[in-house]
Amino acid sequence: MFERLVPKLRVNTVFDIALEELYALGYRGIITDLDNTLVGAKAPLATPELLLWFTKVKELGFKLIIVSNNNMERVSRFATPLNIEFVHQARKPSNTPFLKAMKQMGLTPEQTIVVGDQMLTDVYGGNRLGLYTVLVLPISVKDEGIGTRFNRRVERIATTRLRKQGLWHEEDKPE
């Protein structure tokens, strides 16, 4: 059960993802979470560094879509000015938003990467569909809502069990 919570890759931030390597392996699309993955949960706009990352993603040839459990107003306010497609109120880890995002990009699971800060929503949802999952450290834990705080407690229990099973190694942990 807990094995589905293990990401293929763990990094500190989206900036640490080796995009060129993943593109060379055949990945062509990125489904990314918004809050605490790209920006803090209360940050309304992209940072200059993130804008450069979006440019790099597109220049390499990746398609990009934001899939967020947050509401239309929050996700639209962030994504629309950047001309980034999005799926709001996604209800991750449900399969539906991931399948919808892949359809919008015209890609298969074998071509798709999921990036997020939560094991229970982003990683679990992506792993169930065979997507390449990347777990980033949350940007601003203090701004998280009650549901996310609950998920974090469950994640701590899961990582403890995964360590005991030899499936979660601290040397893999980002610095």
Side-chain angles (χ1 to χ4, degrees):
M1 157 63 190
F2 288 113
E3 294 84 8
R4 287 203 171 165
L5 297 176
V6 178
K8 303 285 187 294
L9 176 66
R10 290 161 54 197
V11 294
N12 287 323
T13 72
V14 295
F15 311 115
D16 299 318
I17 300 169
L19 294 170
E20 295 89 349
E21 290 176 26
L22 291 171
Y23 194 86
L25 291 171
Y27 294 99
R28 296 297 181 261
I30 299 172
I31 296 171
T32 182
D33 181 40
L34 173 57
D35 294 324
N36 276 335
T37 298
L38 297 177
V39 294
K42 292 188 177 178
L45 304 172
T47 64
E49 186 180 21
L50 186 59
L51 293 174
L52 291 173
W53 187 78
F54 287 148
T55 299
K56 180 180 179 181
V57 165
K58 290 178 182 178
E59 284 176 353
L60 286 170
F62 282 103
K63 295 178 181 180
L64 177 74
I65 188 166
I66 294 171
V67 175
S68 173
N69 284 348
N70 214 323
N71 63 48
M72 172 73 164
E73 182 181 340
R74 162 67 174 141
V75 184
S76 176
R77 184 178 296 154
F78 180 89
T80 302
L82 302 172
N83 200 27
I84 297 174
E85 290 187 61
F86 62 90
V87 176
H88 67 285
Q89 292 179 321
R91 302 189 193 285
K92 294 179 290 183
S94 166
N95 289 344
T96 305
F98 296 103
L99 294 170
K100 181 177 181 180
M102 284 188 291
K103 184 176 181 180
Q104 283 180 247
M105 292 188 293
L107 299 174
T108 65
E110 298 78 24
Q111 298 173 299
T112 307
I113 300 163
V114 174
V115 180
D117 67 299
Q118 289 190 64
M119 294 166 64
L120 295 179
T121 56
D122 308 302
V123 174
Y124 179 63
N127 281 346
R128 286 192 324 177
L129 290 170
L131 310 180
Y132 186 90
T133 51
V134 179
L135 182 66
V136 299
L137 295 176
I139 293 171
S140 181
V141 177
K142 67 180 177 8
D143 292 335
E144 292 179 335
I146 189 98
T148 303
R149 283 190 224 142
F150 174 80
N151 284 352
R152 298 276 183 225
R153 287 186 179 159
V154 175
E155 287 177 1
R156 282 193 290 278
I157 293 166
T159 53
T160 299
R161 295 229 176 124
L162 288 165
R163 272 188 211 99
K164 288 178 182 175
Q165 294 174 1
L167 298 172
W168 192 272
H169 306 284
E170 291 313 304
E171 61 270 13
D172 298 340
K173 184 180 177 189
E175 299 295 322

PDB file of all heavy atoms in Angstrom, residues 74-96:
ATOM      1  N   ARG A  74      -8.266  31.109  -7.370  1.00  0.00           N
ATOM      2  CA  ARG A  74      -6.843  31.017  -7.002  1.00  0.00           C
ATOM      3  C   ARG A  74      -5.986  30.560  -8.188  1.00  0.00           C
ATOM      4  O   ARG A  74      -4.970  31.165  -8.524  1.00  0.00           O
ATOM      5  CB  ARG A  74      -6.676  30.061  -5.815  1.00  0.00           C
ATOM      6  CG  ARG A  74      -5.258  29.542  -5.594  1.00  0.00           C
ATOM      7  CD  ARG A  74      -4.308  30.627  -5.160  1.00  0.00           C
ATOM      8  NE  ARG A  74      -3.001  30.058  -4.836  1.00  0.00           N
ATOM      9  CZ  ARG A  74      -1.857  30.639  -5.134  1.00  0.00           C
ATOM     10  NH1 ARG A  74      -1.835  31.808  -5.744  1.00  0.00           N
ATOM     11  NH2 ARG A  74      -0.710  30.078  -4.813  1.00  0.00           N
ATOM     12  N   VAL A  75      -6.390  29.471  -8.823  1.00  0.00           N
ATOM     13  CA  VAL A  75      -5.579  28.880  -9.882  1.00  0.00           C
ATOM     14  C   VAL A  75      -5.592  29.769 -11.125  1.00  0.00           C
ATOM     15  O   VAL A  75      -4.557  30.001 -11.744  1.00  0.00           O
ATOM     16  CB  VAL A  75      -6.055  27.444 -10.202  1.00  0.00           C
ATOM     17  CG1 VAL A  75      -5.146  26.803 -11.233  1.00  0.00           C
ATOM     18  CG2 VAL A  75      -6.098  26.597  -8.932  1.00  0.00           C
ATOM     19  N   SER A  76      -6.743  30.301 -11.474  1.00  0.00           N
ATOM     20  CA  SER A  76      -6.859  31.165 -12.650  1.00  0.00           C
ATOM     21  C   SER A  76      -6.040  32.437 -12.486  1.00  0.00           C
ATOM     22  O   SER A  76      -5.367  32.880 -13.426  1.00  0.00           O
ATOM     23  CB  SER A  76      -8.322  31.512 -12.892  1.00  0.00           C
ATOM     24  OG  SER A  76      -8.436  32.414 -13.962  1.00  0.00           O
ATOM     25  N   ARG A  77      -6.074  33.031 -11.301  1.00  0.00           N
ATOM     26  CA  ARG A  77      -5.336  34.271 -11.046  1.00  0.00           C
ATOM     27  C   ARG A  77      -3.829  34.055 -11.261  1.00  0.00           C
ATOM     28  O   ARG A  77      -3.128  34.939 -11.736  1.00  0.00           O
ATOM     29  CB  ARG A  77      -5.602  34.770  -9.629  1.00  0.00           C
ATOM     30  CG  ARG A  77      -4.933  36.122  -9.363  1.00  0.00           C
ATOM     31  CD  ARG A  77      -5.235  36.647  -7.992  1.00  0.00           C
ATOM     32  NE  ARG A  77      -6.660  36.905  -7.857  1.00  0.00           N
ATOM     33  CZ  ARG A  77      -7.306  36.893  -6.696  1.00  0.00           C
ATOM     34  NH1 ARG A  77      -6.667  36.643  -5.578  1.00  0.00           N
ATOM     35  NH2 ARG A  77      -8.587  37.145  -6.645  1.00  0.00           N
ATOM     36  N   PHE A  78      -3.352  32.870 -10.923  1.00  0.00           N
ATOM     37  CA  PHE A  78      -1.935  32.568 -11.106  1.00  0.00           C
ATOM     38  C   PHE A  78      -1.624  32.182 -12.563  1.00  0.00           C
ATOM     39  O   PHE A  78      -0.684  32.696 -13.161  1.00  0.00           O
ATOM     40  CB  PHE A  78      -1.518  31.416 -10.172  1.00  0.00           C
ATOM     41  CG  PHE A  78      -0.073  31.036 -10.299  1.00  0.00           C
ATOM     42  CD1 PHE A  78       0.889  31.658  -9.522  1.00  0.00           C
ATOM     43  CD2 PHE A  78       0.338  30.063 -11.200  1.00  0.00           C
ATOM     44  CE1 PHE A  78       2.232  31.320  -9.645  1.00  0.00           C
ATOM     45  CE2 PHE A  78       1.667  29.726 -11.342  1.00  0.00           C
ATOM     46  CZ  PHE A  78       2.616  30.351 -10.557  1.00  0.00           C
ATOM     47  N   ALA A  79      -2.399  31.273 -13.128  1.00  0.00           N
ATOM     48  CA  ALA A  79      -2.065  30.655 -14.414  1.00  0.00           C
ATOM     49  C   ALA A  79      -2.430  31.482 -15.645  1.00  0.00           C
ATOM     50  O   ALA A  79      -1.683  31.493 -16.625  1.00  0.00           O
ATOM     51  CB  ALA A  79      -2.742  29.288 -14.509  1.00  0.00           C
ATOM     52  N   THR A  80      -3.565  32.160 -15.623  1.00  0.00           N
ATOM     53  CA  THR A  80      -4.047  32.876 -16.808  1.00  0.00           C
ATOM     54  C   THR A  80      -3.071  33.930 -17.325  1.00  0.00           C
ATOM     55  O   THR A  80      -2.790  33.955 -18.530  1.00  0.00           O
ATOM     56  CB  THR A  80      -5.454  33.456 -16.554  1.00  0.00           C
ATOM     57  OG1 THR A  80      -6.329  32.369 -16.217  1.00  0.00           O
ATOM     58  CG2 THR A  80      -5.977  34.173 -17.779  1.00  0.00           C
ATOM     59  N   PRO A  81      -2.509  34.798 -16.470  1.00  0.00           N
ATOM     60  CA  PRO A  81      -1.565  35.795 -16.992  1.00  0.00           C
ATOM     61  C   PRO A  81      -0.320  35.170 -17.632  1.00  0.00           C
ATOM     62  O   PRO A  81       0.346  35.783 -18.450  1.00  0.00           O
ATOM     63  CB  PRO A  81      -1.160  36.617 -15.761  1.00  0.00           C
ATOM     64  CG  PRO A  81      -2.164  36.309 -14.722  1.00  0.00           C
ATOM     65  CD  PRO A  81      -2.740  34.974 -15.038  1.00  0.00           C
ATOM     66  N   LEU A  82      -0.018  33.932 -17.252  1.00  0.00           N
ATOM     67  CA  LEU A  82       1.162  33.239 -17.772  1.00  0.00           C
ATOM     68  C   LEU A  82       0.830  32.380 -18.995  1.00  0.00           C
ATOM     69  O   LEU A  82       1.710  31.713 -19.539  1.00  0.00           O
ATOM     70  CB  LEU A  82       1.764  32.356 -16.671  1.00  0.00           C
ATOM     71  CG  LEU A  82       2.171  33.090 -15.396  1.00  0.00           C
ATOM     72  CD1 LEU A  82       2.556  32.105 -14.311  1.00  0.00           C
ATOM     73  CD2 LEU A  82       3.303  34.052 -15.686  1.00  0.00           C
ATOM     74  N   ASN A  83      -0.454  32.369 -19.363  1.00  0.00           N
ATOM     75  CA  ASN A  83      -0.912  31.557 -20.490  1.00  0.00           C
ATOM     76  C   ASN A  83      -0.615  30.072 -20.262  1.00  0.00           C
ATOM     77  O   ASN A  83      -0.163  29.368 -21.170  1.00  0.00           O
ATOM     78  CB  ASN A  83      -0.293  32.054 -21.810  1.00  0.00           C
ATOM     79  CG  ASN A  83      -1.081  31.583 -23.007  1.00  0.00           C
ATOM     80  OD1 ASN A  83      -2.279  31.338 -22.928  1.00  0.00           O
ATOM     81  ND2 ASN A  83      -0.398  31.434 -24.131  1.00  0.00           N
ATOM     82  N   ILE A  84      -0.862  29.616 -19.035  1.00  0.00           N
ATOM     83  CA  ILE A  84      -0.676  28.212 -18.676  1.00  0.00           C
ATOM     84  C   ILE A  84      -2.046  27.589 -18.446  1.00  0.00           C
ATOM     85  O   ILE A  84      -2.865  28.126 -17.700  1.00  0.00           O
ATOM     86  CB  ILE A  84       0.192  28.067 -17.403  1.00  0.00           C
ATOM     87  CG1 ILE A  84       1.599  28.617 -17.663  1.00  0.00           C
ATOM     88  CG2 ILE A  84       0.257  26.615 -16.949  1.00  0.00           C
ATOM     89  CD1 ILE A  84       2.487  28.641 -16.424  1.00  0.00           C
ATOM     90  N   GLU A  85      -2.284  26.458 -19.101  1.00  0.00           N
ATOM     91  CA  GLU A  85      -3.552  25.749 -18.903  1.00  0.00           C
ATOM     92  C   GLU A  85      -3.590  25.178 -17.491  1.00  0.00           C
ATOM     93  O   GLU A  85      -2.547  24.934 -16.883  1.00  0.00           O
ATOM     94  CB  GLU A  85      -3.693  24.622 -19.919  1.00  0.00           C
ATOM     95  CG  GLU A  85      -3.920  25.110 -21.340  1.00  0.00           C
ATOM     96  CD  GLU A  85      -4.222  23.952 -22.273  1.00  0.00           C
ATOM     97  OE1 GLU A  85      -5.242  23.270 -22.034  1.00  0.00           O
ATOM     98  OE2 GLU A  85      -3.441  23.741 -23.198  1.00  0.00           O
ATOM     99  N   PHE A  86      -4.802  24.940 -16.997  1.00  0.00           N
ATOM    100  CA  PHE A  86      -4.926  24.420 -15.643  1.00  0.00           C
ATOM    101  C   PHE A  86      -6.214  23.619 -15.465  1.00  0.00           C
ATOM    102  O   PHE A  86      -7.163  23.754 -16.225  1.00  0.00           O
ATOM    103  CB  PHE A  86      -4.872  25.549 -14.609  1.00  0.00           C
ATOM    104  CG  PHE A  86      -5.991  26.553 -14.733  1.00  0.00           C
ATOM    105  CD1 PHE A  86      -7.190  26.372 -14.047  1.00  0.00           C
ATOM    106  CD2 PHE A  86      -5.843  27.679 -15.529  1.00  0.00           C
ATOM    107  CE1 PHE A  86      -8.222  27.300 -14.153  1.00  0.00           C
ATOM    108  CE2 PHE A  86      -6.861  28.613 -15.645  1.00  0.00           C
ATOM    109  CZ  PHE A  86      -8.062  28.423 -14.959  1.00  0.00           C
ATOM    110  N   VAL A  87      -6.185  22.780 -14.433  1.00  0.00           N
ATOM    111  CA  VAL A  87      -7.360  22.055 -13.953  1.00  0.00           C
ATOM    112  C   VAL A  87      -7.481  22.442 -12.486  1.00  0.00           C
ATOM    113  O   VAL A  87      -6.546  22.246 -11.715  1.00  0.00           O
ATOM    114  CB  VAL A  87      -7.180  20.525 -14.086  1.00  0.00           C
ATOM    115  CG1 VAL A  87      -8.377  19.790 -13.498  1.00  0.00           C
ATOM    116  CG2 VAL A  87      -6.947  20.126 -15.541  1.00  0.00           C
ATOM    117  N   HIS A  88      -8.614  23.051 -12.118  1.00  0.00           N
ATOM    118  CA  HIS A  88      -8.818  23.479 -10.730  1.00  0.00           C
ATOM    119  C   HIS A  88      -9.772  22.517 -10.023  1.00  0.00           C
ATOM    120  O   HIS A  88     -10.413  21.689 -10.669  1.00  0.00           O
ATOM    121  CB  HIS A  88      -9.366  24.909 -10.682  1.00  0.00           C
ATOM    122  CG  HIS A  88     -10.748  25.015 -11.249  1.00  0.00           C
ATOM    123  ND1 HIS A  88     -10.997  24.981 -12.596  1.00  0.00           N
ATOM    124  CD2 HIS A  88     -11.948  25.124 -10.640  1.00  0.00           C
ATOM    125  CE1 HIS A  88     -12.308  25.074 -12.803  1.00  0.00           C
ATOM    126  NE2 HIS A  88     -12.896  25.160 -11.624  1.00  0.00           N
ATOM    127  N   GLN A  89      -9.857  22.630  -8.707  1.00  0.00           N
ATOM    128  CA  GLN A  89     -10.685  21.732  -7.885  1.00  0.00           C
ATOM    129  C   GLN A  89     -10.553  20.298  -8.385  1.00  0.00           C
ATOM    130  O   GLN A  89     -11.541  19.598  -8.614  1.00  0.00           O
ATOM    131  CB  GLN A  89     -12.141  22.200  -7.870  1.00  0.00           C
ATOM    132  CG  GLN A  89     -12.302  23.514  -7.133  1.00  0.00           C
ATOM    133  CD  GLN A  89     -13.728  24.026  -7.104  1.00  0.00           C
ATOM    134  OE1 GLN A  89     -14.457  23.909  -8.082  1.00  0.00           O
ATOM    135  NE2 GLN A  89     -14.102  24.613  -5.979  1.00  0.00           N
ATOM    136  N   ALA A  90      -9.314  19.860  -8.513  1.00  0.00           N
ATOM    137  CA  ALA A  90      -8.992  18.595  -9.169  1.00  0.00           C
ATOM    138  C   ALA A  90      -9.391  17.350  -8.384  1.00  0.00           C
ATOM    139  O   ALA A  90      -9.583  16.302  -8.970  1.00  0.00           O
ATOM    140  CB  ALA A  90      -7.490  18.556  -9.462  1.00  0.00           C
ATOM    141  N   ARG A  91      -9.460  17.463  -7.098  1.00  0.00           N
ATOM    142  CA  ARG A  91      -9.770  16.319  -6.245  1.00  0.00           C
ATOM    143  C   ARG A  91      -8.709  15.215  -6.355  1.00  0.00           C
ATOM    144  O   ARG A  91      -9.026  14.025  -6.368  1.00  0.00           O
ATOM    145  CB  ARG A  91     -11.164  15.760  -6.514  1.00  0.00           C
ATOM    146  CG  ARG A  91     -12.276  16.775  -6.320  1.00  0.00           C
ATOM    147  CD  ARG A  91     -13.639  16.101  -6.386  1.00  0.00           C
ATOM    148  NE  ARG A  91     -14.733  17.033  -6.515  1.00  0.00           N
ATOM    149  CZ  ARG A  91     -15.223  17.806  -5.554  1.00  0.00           C
ATOM    150  NH1 ARG A  91     -14.677  17.783  -4.372  1.00  0.00           N
ATOM    151  NH2 ARG A  91     -16.239  18.603  -5.770  1.00  0.00           N
ATOM    152  N   LYS A  92      -7.457  15.649  -6.452  1.00  0.00           N
ATOM    153  CA  LYS A  92      -6.368  14.673  -6.429  1.00  0.00           C
ATOM    154  C   LYS A  92      -6.410  13.950  -5.088  1.00  0.00           C
ATOM    155  O   LYS A  92      -6.718  14.574  -4.084  1.00  0.00           O
ATOM    156  CB  LYS A  92      -5.008  15.380  -6.587  1.00  0.00           C
ATOM    157  CG  LYS A  92      -4.795  16.033  -7.917  1.00  0.00           C
ATOM    158  CD  LYS A  92      -3.446  16.735  -7.994  1.00  0.00           C
ATOM    159  CE  LYS A  92      -3.413  17.966  -7.119  1.00  0.00           C
ATOM    160  NZ  LYS A  92      -2.166  18.727  -7.201  1.00  0.00           N
ATOM    161  N   PRO A  93      -6.167  12.674  -5.061  1.00  0.00           N
ATOM    162  CA  PRO A  93      -5.480  11.829  -6.029  1.00  0.00           C
ATOM    163  C   PRO A  93      -6.380  11.112  -7.043  1.00  0.00           C
ATOM    164  O   PRO A  93      -5.944  10.156  -7.668  1.00  0.00           O
ATOM    165  CB  PRO A  93      -4.772  10.818  -5.130  1.00  0.00           C
ATOM    166  CG  PRO A  93      -5.737  10.595  -4.014  1.00  0.00           C
ATOM    167  CD  PRO A  93      -6.345  11.962  -3.772  1.00  0.00           C
ATOM    168  N   SER A  94      -7.593  11.555  -7.227  1.00  0.00           N
ATOM    169  CA  SER A  94      -8.476  10.950  -8.227  1.00  0.00           C
ATOM    170  C   SER A  94      -7.779  10.885  -9.587  1.00  0.00           C
ATOM    171  O   SER A  94      -7.001  11.775  -9.943  1.00  0.00           O
ATOM    172  CB  SER A  94      -9.753  11.790  -8.340  1.00  0.00           C
ATOM    173  OG  SER A  94     -10.477  11.443  -9.483  1.00  0.00           O
ATOM    174  N   ASN A  95      -8.053   9.843 -10.353  1.00  0.00           N
ATOM    175  CA  ASN A  95      -7.469   9.695 -11.693  1.00  0.00           C
ATOM    176  C   ASN A  95      -7.931  10.789 -12.654  1.00  0.00           C
ATOM    177  O   ASN A  95      -7.200  11.179 -13.561  1.00  0.00           O
ATOM    178  CB  ASN A  95      -7.847   8.339 -12.305  1.00  0.00           C
ATOM    179  CG  ASN A  95      -7.147   7.179 -11.646  1.00  0.00           C
ATOM    180  OD1 ASN A  95      -6.162   7.346 -10.928  1.00  0.00           O
ATOM    181  ND2 ASN A  95      -7.653   5.990 -11.887  1.00  0.00           N
ATOM    182  N   THR A  96      -9.153  11.261 -12.489  1.00  0.00           N
ATOM    183  CA  THR A  96      -9.790  12.162 -13.450  1.00  0.00           C
ATOM    184  C   THR A  96      -8.961  13.387 -13.817  1.00  0.00           C
ATOM    185  O   THR A  96      -8.772  13.662 -15.006  1.00  0.00           O
ATOM    186  CB  THR A  96     -11.187  12.573 -12.953  1.00  0.00           C
ATOM    187  OG1 THR A  96     -11.938  11.382 -12.695  1.00  0.00           O
ATOM    188  CG2 THR A  96     -11.911  13.421 -13.965  1.00  0.00           C
TER     189      THR A  96
END
